[in-house]
Amino acid sequence: MIVKCVANKGSEIGPYRRGLFYTPETRFTLSIGRLYDVFAMALINGSLTVLVADDYEKPAWLPLQLFEVEDSSLPADWEFVSHDIGVDSSGPGDLVCEARWGYSEVAHSDAHFYGLEERDPESLRVFDAERSRRA
């Protein structure tokens, strides 16, 4: 899947699409018009996010609304996991991941999923290996 950046500020996403992890003042490290490979997708707090390598070549989970889909084909080896969220016990500001699909580690490993945002060295190594494999 390949997406093209059409917005890089929180204020460029309509208020009904704003998630809990950014504000109107947020500036995303993306370049308008640039194409980005999508390495995974996640449903977080009811919003679809995509995992791309940002302009610093770091993994970033970002709202799909920042992009237009250029190539909608998905890799044959992607895997899907739905999380039984049951009763939403999250507090204000909590992120609830309801489903993930992508390469095996991002779909199945909570440690890898959260490690990408936390810049965990092992999670970054796995992400970089996935990027290299797909290049």
Side-chain angles (χ1 to χ4, degrees):
M1 182 173 187
I2 299 171
V3 293
K4 180 171 75 174
C5 178
V6 296
N8 59 9
K9 298 178 205 152
S11 62
E12 296 173 327
I13 300 174
Y16 58 92
R17 293 183 176 160
R18 288 198 180 108
L20 297 175
F21 53 96
Y22 63 96
T23 68
E25 292 77 30
T26 302
R27 291 194 173 263
F28 300 98
T29 53
L30 301 169
S31 297
I32 303 291
R34 180 177 169 192
L35 298 178
Y36 295 87
D37 288 322
V38 174
F39 296 94
M41 294 188 287
L43 188 61
I44 300 174
N45 293 3
S47 295
L48 190 57
T49 61
V50 292
L51 177 63
V52 301
D54 65 16
D55 287 354
Y56 294 116
E57 302 300 322
K58 298 295 182 193
W61 288 102
L62 300 170
L64 182 61
Q65 290 80 13
L66 296 171
F67 306 95
E68 287 179 354
V69 177
E70 290 286 309
D71 178 353
S72 63
S73 60
L74 302 177
D77 62 346
W78 272 22
E79 299 178 26
F80 175 81
V81 174
S82 175
H83 299 277
D84 181 15
I85 60 170
V87 176
D88 184 3
S89 60
S90 62
D94 287 346
L95 298 179
V96 178
C97 182
E98 300 155 83
R100 295 192 298 259
W101 51 111
Y103 59 95
S104 184
E105 292 87 345
V106 80
H108 295 285
S109 171
D110 287 342
H112 179 71
F113 173 76
Y114 293 110
L116 292 171
E117 284 296 317
E118 296 165 5
R119 300 297 189 243
D120 170 69
E122 177 60 17
S123 296
L124 294 176
R125 185 196 66 72
V126 170
F127 178 76
D128 288 340
E130 179 64 20
R131 287 182 63 208
S132 295
R133 186 183 71 79
R134 291 190 35 199

